[in-house]
């Protein structure tokens, strides 16, 4: 018998949003809308698609493992040094690399919860303890988070805007935390949705990198840039942290298509603006419609809303699925009475509202 590492027994499977194919097969529906995984309903940037066509002749060649053009583009875009950037096969791989580079057996990692499940997965798979701080759909104070940090804490995960609640932290809150936490604890600030944030006091945080070499800013091409299927994420941090991540990084994890698509998407301001406009309009519409049905819609800075449905949340999710609308129930996040809905195109949002009204009635 081949024994796997004991850490594996603690891991539970990742629960993704249901796929369109899955629902089509199960219910035999022609029209299916997925508002479950915070993907961009406009699709990828057309410039990214064009860039991918352009590499068809070189698919037999290995990609450049150091992704120099992409690193260069990101360096220009954010005005940070190239040596402050590492790219990954999705930011999921950035989290994985952080685990391999920094988390030891017997350590612990602390995160605000409920949140994105990959932090816990990475922590446990590296033999450390996971400490979640906060429950329910409110905002966990970073002072409460700090109170759980001890000498064994290797990484603190802060997701802002938080998936799935949409909660965010201000510069003052984050700086207060950074100034108090030990400089030997990595502060992993996950900004997967930063580009969607509209609050005036939502901070980009790049100006804190110099002062806090233990701060890591995580970003992705999966959300606003619409490239979830091709897998590119990146981290911006101090040079020491970045050096360690490059060391552990698999050499060819960012494929050719991903590299050219990401560069093109980063330069496609029009696509980003279109996406932001649709997101703003979708939020406004869904917030009004869903609140009018009597449900609590949480404030959000992302491309999704978290809604308190109540005890029958699961029933509603199933009702919608049977009719071709996939949203995300949040039981696996520890919020069994809530759902998370990604902003769709106007007609998709209207379809959701129509079905929700049917369910309520
Ligand atoms: C979607 C998401 C990511 C993952 O992004 P990939 O780059 O697709 O791996 C990371 N963090 C949070 C909070 C997310 O919601």
């Amino acid at each position: 018998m081949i024994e796997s590492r004991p850490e594996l027994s603690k891991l539970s499977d990742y629960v993704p949003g249901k796929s369109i194919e899955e629902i089509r097969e199960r219910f035999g529906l022609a029209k299916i809308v997925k508002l479950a995984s915070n993907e961009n309903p406009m699709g990828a940037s057309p410039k990214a698609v064009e860039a991918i066509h352009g590499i068809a002749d070189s698919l037999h060649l290995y990609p450049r493992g150091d992704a120099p053009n992409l690193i260069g583009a990101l360096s220009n875009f954010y005005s940070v040094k190239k040596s402050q950037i590492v790219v990954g096969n999705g930011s999921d791989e950035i989290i994985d690399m952080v685990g391999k580079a920094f988390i030891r057996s017997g350590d612990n990692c602390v995160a605000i919860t409920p949140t994105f499940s990959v932090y816990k997965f990475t922590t446990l798979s590296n033999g450390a303890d996971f400490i979640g701080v906060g429950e329910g759909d409110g905002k966990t104070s970073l002072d409460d988070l700090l109170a759980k940090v001890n000498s064994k804490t290797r990484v603190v995960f802060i997701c802002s805007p938080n998936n799935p609640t949409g909660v965010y932290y201000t510069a003052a809150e984050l700086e207060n935390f950074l100034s108090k936490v030990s400089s030997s604890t990595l502060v992993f600030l996950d900004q997967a949705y930063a580009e969607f944030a509209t609050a005036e006091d939502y901070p980009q945080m790049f100006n804190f990198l110099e002062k806090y070499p233990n701060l890591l800013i995580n970003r992705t091409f999966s959300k606003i840039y619409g490239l979830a299927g091709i897998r590119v994420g990146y981290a911006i941090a101090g040079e020491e942290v970045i050096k360690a991540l490059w060391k552990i990084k698999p050499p060819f994890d960012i494929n050719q298509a991903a590299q050219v698509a990401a560069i093109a998407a980063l330069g496609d301001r029009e696509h980003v603006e279109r996406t932001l406009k649709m997101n703003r309009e979708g939020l406004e519409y869904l917030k009004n419609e869903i609140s009018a049905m009597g449900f609590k819609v949480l404030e959000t800075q992302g491309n999704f809303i978290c809604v308190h449905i109540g005890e029958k949340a699961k029933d509603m999710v199933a009702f919608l699925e049977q009719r071709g609308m996939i949203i995300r129930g949040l039981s696996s996040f520890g919020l069994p009475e809530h759902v998370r809905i990604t902003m769709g195109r106007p007609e998709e949002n209207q379809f959701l509202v129509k079905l929700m009204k049917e369910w309520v009635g």
Side-chain angles (χ1 to χ4, degrees):
M1 169 144 138
I2 312 280
E3 266 184 46
S4 58
R5 292 167 53 221
E7 287 83 2
L8 270 61
S9 65
K10 292 187 193 159
L11 303 178
S12 39
D13 291 339
Y14 181 77
V15 186
K18 291 222 173 60
S19 74
I20 290 177
E21 291 77 30
E22 226 176 317
I23 297 300
R24 179 173 294 135
E25 259 168 46
R26 180 125 60 104
F27 301 113
L29 297 162
K31 174 185 165 184
I32 294 162
V33 173
K34 182 185 178 197
L35 302 178
S37 299
N38 300 342
E39 293 145 333
N40 187 331
M42 308 263 295
S45 145
K47 291 188 177 155
V49 176
E50 199 183 314
I52 291 173
H53 285 298
I55 59 152
D57 288 343
S58 59
L59 295 180
H60 57 297
L61 300 175
Y62 277 98
R64 282 285 300 267
D66 53 350
N69 296 336
L70 177 54
I71 297 281
L74 288 167
S75 160
N76 281 337
F77 192 84
Y78 290 111
S79 304
V80 297
K81 288 187 235 163
K82 291 177 188 168
S83 53
Q84 289 183 284
I85 308 171
V86 67
V87 285
N89 187 274
S91 51
D92 283 358
E93 192 185 49
I94 299 285
I95 301 168
D96 184 59
M97 294 187 323
V98 162
K100 288 174 178 160
F102 299 112
I103 303 174
R104 300 166 303 198
S105 174
D107 289 335
N108 69 58
C109 297
V110 182
I112 54 154
T113 45
T115 195
F116 190 52
S117 66
V118 176
Y119 315 138
K120 183 176 181 180
F121 177 88
T122 297
T123 301
L124 297 181
S125 62
N126 286 288
D129 292 325
F130 181 81
I131 302 168
V133 184
E135 53 190 49
D137 62 15
K139 178 169 172 175
T140 302
S141 117
L142 296 188
D143 287 332
D144 292 348
L145 193 66
L146 189 67
K148 295 290 179 187
V149 174
N150 60 34
S151 59
K152 288 187 171 177
T153 306
R154 298 292 291 165
V155 184
V156 173
F157 294 99
I158 300 172
C159 187
S160 175
N162 185 39
N163 175 7
T165 56
V167 161
Y168 73 102
Y169 293 93
T170 64
E173 288 168 322
L174 289 166
E175 171 148 47
N176 180 52
F177 183 83
L178 283 162
S179 69
K180 289 177 181 162
V181 78
S182 159
S183 58
S184 61
T185 297
L186 182 71
V187 178
F188 188 101
L189 181 64
D190 193 338
Q191 294 190 327
Y193 302 96
E195 297 90 349
F196 291 102
T198 51
E200 270 179 27
D201 59 353
Y202 179 83
Q204 300 298 318
M205 293 304 287
F206 294 106
N207 51 329
F208 290 97
L209 288 168
E210 197 163 336
K211 187 163 176 198
Y212 299 104
N214 57 328
L215 170 65
L216 178 151
I217 296 174
N218 179 62
R219 297 264 179 130
T220 180
F221 281 94
S222 296
K223 305 288 157 62
I224 195 147
Y225 294 108
L227 295 176
I230 213 162
R231 318 299 303 128
V232 198
Y234 53 100
I236 300 180
E239 291 175 335
E240 291 308 313
V241 168
I242 294 299
K243 223 185 258 173
L245 296 178
W246 275 108
K247 220 165 192 175
I248 208 84
K249 179 183 169 298
F252 301 114
D253 55 342
I254 321 291
N255 66 65
Q256 281 185 46
Q259 295 187 28
V260 297
I263 294 167
L266 194 65
D268 191 350
R269 195 64 221 167
E270 248 183 293
H271 186 70
V272 168
E273 292 300 337
R274 274 197 301 270
T275 303
L276 288 174
K277 179 165 181 281
M278 179 167 0
N279 195 62
R280 274 196 305 274
E281 290 167 1
L283 279 177
E284 167 108 8
Y285 169 74
L286 284 184
K287 225 191 290 180
N288 287 339
E289 291 286 343
I290 295 174
S291 310
M293 292 177 211
F295 301 116
K296 180 175 91 172
V297 180
L298 274 63
E299 283 301 317
T300 187
Q301 292 296 317
N303 64 343
F304 55 86
I305 46 173
C306 186
V307 185
H308 181 248
I309 300 295
E311 280 175 7
K312 293 202 168 133
K314 233 183 170 151
D315 177 70
M316 186 183 86
V317 170
F319 177 93
L320 296 177
E321 276 174 7
Q322 283 159 24
R323 288 154 184 82
M325 169 57 67
I326 314 173
I327 63 168
R328 191 81 144 89
L330 295 178
S331 299
S332 69
F333 284 77
L335 291 174
E337 297 195 353
H338 294 67
V339 299
R340 192 191 67 203
I341 301 165
T342 307
M343 294 308 102
R345 291 169 169 272
E347 65 276 14
E348 294 173 331
N349 297 336
Q350 286 155 17
F351 182 45
L352 171 77
V353 165
K354 175 180 158 273
L355 291 176
M356 276 184 75
K357 280 182 178 159
E358 272 176 47
W359 180 74
V360 169

